[in-house]
Amino acid sequence: EVQLVESGGGLVQAGGSLRLSCAASGFTFDDYVIGWFRQAPGKEREEISCISSSDGSTYYADSVKGRFTISSDNAKNTVYLRMNNLKPEDTAVYYCAARGYTAVLATTPEEFDYWGQGTQVTVSA
């Protein structure tokens, strides 16, 4: 059974930093993509970043480009999202998700098969 467990969320002041972790287990496929999504109240879930297992290629949404960095530690089966210079508009529940059997990057929630439970990030002004 595939499991994704996020951690690292919390309350931070604007301009601060957080690092989210996504611990993955139960994968039965060699190729996959791990994505980070967020959903603010009243808004649709949006992808902010993803990383490919094959070559480490990455994608970032324009809203986080230059501030957020995605990385992976294959030995720990963990993907990280380092978030710098956080803004109040980054406040949301952050989810990690996995897309199995392919290493092609994807940008919509529908393309991902497995989801974590989410972790809250709140940025105060």
Side-chain angles (χ1 to χ4, degrees):
E1 179 186 5
V2 173
Q3 287 193 324
L4 301 170
V5 180
E6 303 98 332
S7 60
L11 174 64
V12 64
Q13 290 186 332
S17 299
L18 284 174
R19 189 182 76 163
L20 304 183
S21 300
C22 174
S25 62
F27 281 14
T28 59
F29 33 81
D30 295 327
D31 296 324
Y32 56 87
V33 175
I34 301 293
W36 282 100
F37 293 75
R38 66 185 180 188
Q39 188 166 20
K43 295 189 176 181
E44 292 187 353
R45 189 169 297 190
E46 64 166 337
E47 184 177 15
I48 53 176
S49 185
C50 64
I51 187 166
S52 171
S53 66
S54 64
D55 58 3
S57 56
T58 58
Y59 158 81
Y60 294 96
D62 288 343
S63 58
V64 305
K65 201 172 292 183
R67 300 189 298 125
F68 291 10
T69 303
I70 192 170
S71 62
S72 64
D73 183 335
N74 292 334
K76 296 182 178 180
N77 294 323
T78 300
V79 171
Y80 303 98
L81 185 68
R82 177 68 178 182
M83 306 185 295
N84 294 329
N85 190 23
L86 283 160
K87 304 175 182 180
E89 51 264 41
D90 293 317
T91 295
V93 177
Y94 283 68
Y95 301 89
C96 70
R99 184 185 192 213
Y101 300 103
T102 178
V104 176
L105 298 178
T107 59
T108 65
E110 294 75 20
E111 296 175 281
F112 287 79
D113 308 300
Y114 307 96
W115 292 83
Q117 81 289 350
T119 185
Q120 176 71 46
V121 171
T122 303
V123 184
S124 62

